[in-house]
Amino acid sequence: MKYSFKIDDPQRHFIQIAIEVNVGDRSYLDLQLPSWRPGRYELGNFAKNVKDFNAKDASGIALKTAKISKDLWRVQTNGVEKLMLNYQYYAAELNAGSTWLDENQLYINPINCCMYDPLKMDEECILALEIPDDYIIATSLKEDKRVLYAKDFHELVDSPIICSPTLQTFKYQYDNIDFYLCFQGEVKVDWDRLKKDFVDFTACQVKCFGNFPVKEYYFLFQITPYAAYHGVEHQRSTVILLGPSYAIFNKDYDKLLGISSHELYHTWNVKTIRPHDMLPYDYSQENYTEMGYVTEGVTTYMGDRTLYESGVFSEKEYFKELESLLLRHFHNDGRRHYSVAASSFDTWLDGYVQGIPGRKVSIYVEGALIALICDARIRKATNHNRSLHDVMKEMYGGDDILKGYDKNSYKALLEKVAGVSFDDVFIDLIEGKVDFMHYLEIALKEFGWKITRKKSIHASRQIGIKGVWSNKVYKLSAVAEKSAAEESGLIIGDKIHSLNGYKLNNDLDQWLAYFQDDEIVLSFEREGALKRVSLLKQNENQFYTYKVEKN
C-alpha cells in the first residue's frame, strides 16, 4: 500500500491522506483503521478524527462506500484493479502516541491515521510526505527523498515520524549501534550531560541482555512549554513527551532519565518478547492479557534499577523512585479488592483513569514492586550470583525473533533461575490481594535496605483524606477506607468549606492540627447541599509516608 500525506493549512490541524490500493479481483475492499495503539491498552477511537472519506477508481470515478463498524469502511470496487482512497485526519492532540499538525511540525504516529487492507498487512508500505523543503525528518524508517519505506504494515505503525525545521539531533554509539537523540520544541539541550548518562544506562541494559535487537534506535522527544510526562515504546524508537521546557535539564532531569530508560528497556520487553495473547497484534479490537505485571511492571522496575546499577542514579535518587512506588501502592485501597492480574485484563475498561474508589491497582506500580520482590528472592536463593536480569535475558534469547510468554512459562523461568518456588508470589501478590508489606520488607532486607512508615506531616492525611484546593475550598479526591474521615461519613467529591465555624483559606491542615485535641466539626458541600459532620479521632487507617533507607 502507498500512502501520501499532504499539509495545506497546518493551523487547522487537518492532514490530507491518500492511499493507493491494488484490489485484485475482489468485488469489495475493506479498509480498517486501527482501534488502539500498542503501548496503550485501551481503545483509541481514532476514527472520530476522520472526515470526507471517499474512494475513486484510476479514472477518478467515485466508488460506493459504506461504514461497516466504527472504524471499518467497505468500498465496492466494481471490478477495478486499483483505487485511490482519500480522507482528512484531524491531528490536534499532542502526546507521545498521537498525531499532530501545526505550523511548527508534522508529527505522525501511523497507527492513529493509516487505514490498512487486512489481507495485505504483510506487504511493503510506502509513505510519501509532501512537506516544506526546510523540514527535517526524524524516524527509524528508511527514507529517500521524502519517501519512507516499511517492510510491512506492522513496521509502519511501529515507526513514529517527526518532520520539522527546528529539530535538534545528536548521535551517540554503543556496541556499534547508533542511538539518536532528537528534540522537537523549545528546549536548551545539555548534550554533554545527556550523552554521558544515556551511554551509561544504555550500556547497562545491553550488557544485561547480551546484545541489542536492532541496529539503530531513535529517542524522539516532544518538549512542551507546559507540564507533560508521557512515553510510548516502539521497536526501533520511542516518543517521549516532557515539559515544561525550563525544567527539562533542571528539576525534571530525573524524569527525562527515568522515562528514557523505561522506554529503552521496552525494546526487549514488549517489542521483542511479549505475552502470547498479543502475538501478533490485532489492531481491530482489544488484545486482553493478564501479564501487565511483566510488560509494564518489570519494565518500570528495570528502568529505574538499571539507572541505579549504571551509576546514573545515586542511591538517594533510586530510593526516591522506590518511595514513590510505595506511596502509590499503599495509598491505593484497590490493592484490597483487585489483583494486578485482573487489573491488567481490565486496562481496556478503565486502566488509565482513576475509576471508582478502591477498585483496581496499577500494572506499573504493583508490577514493579512484584518485580523487586522476585529479583530479591532470586538473588537470595543464588547468593547474589543470579537475578531477574537472568530471567529476562533467557526470555529474550539473544536474537530479534519475536517471542511470546505466559504466566506458566514466566513462573517456570523464575523458578529455574532461582531454584526455589514462586507459588506464594503468584497466589498472594499477582492473583491475590495479600498485603505487600511483609514481602517488601524481606526483599529490601536482601539489598541491605529497609522501609520506614511514618505518619504524614499533613493532618488531613492523618484523618485519611487527600484533595485539591480551588477557590479556597478543599475538594476531596481520595478517602482512605476505614479512616477517621470515611467512618465520619466523608466521601470523594465533598467540598470542605470551614472547620469549627472558621472559613478555610488554603489552611485545612493547620486548623486540623490546631483543634486536634478538641471536637472538630467540618462544614462541606455535597451535590449542591450544605452539610456538617463531627469528625472522629484519627485511627491506624490513614495516608502514611514511606521512606527507604539503609538497614
Side-chain angles (χ1 to χ4, degrees), residues 270-283:
V270 170
K271 303 314 297 185
T272 309
I273 52 175
R274 63 173 176 259
H276 284 302
D277 306 316
M278 295 183 173
L279 288 178
Y281 286 135
D282 183 346
Y283 305 111

Side-chain angles (χ1 to χ4, degrees), residues 36 38-41 158 209 233-235 262-275 278-279 281 291-292 294-299 392 395 402-405:
W36 65 287
R40 184 84 171 182
Y41 307 114
D158 196 32
F209 281 100
E233 70 273 12
H234 301 279
Q235 179 68 76
H262 177 106
E263 300 304 339
L264 182 63
Y265 197 87
H266 269 313
T267 309
W268 295 274
N269 187 26
V270 170
K271 303 314 297 185
T272 309
I273 52 175
R274 63 173 176 259
M278 295 183 173
L279 288 178
Y281 286 135
M291 299 300 297
V294 178
T295 59
E296 293 297 347
V298 170
T299 303
M392 300 306 294
M395 287 175 65
L402 185 60
K403 303 176 185 68
Y405 57 82

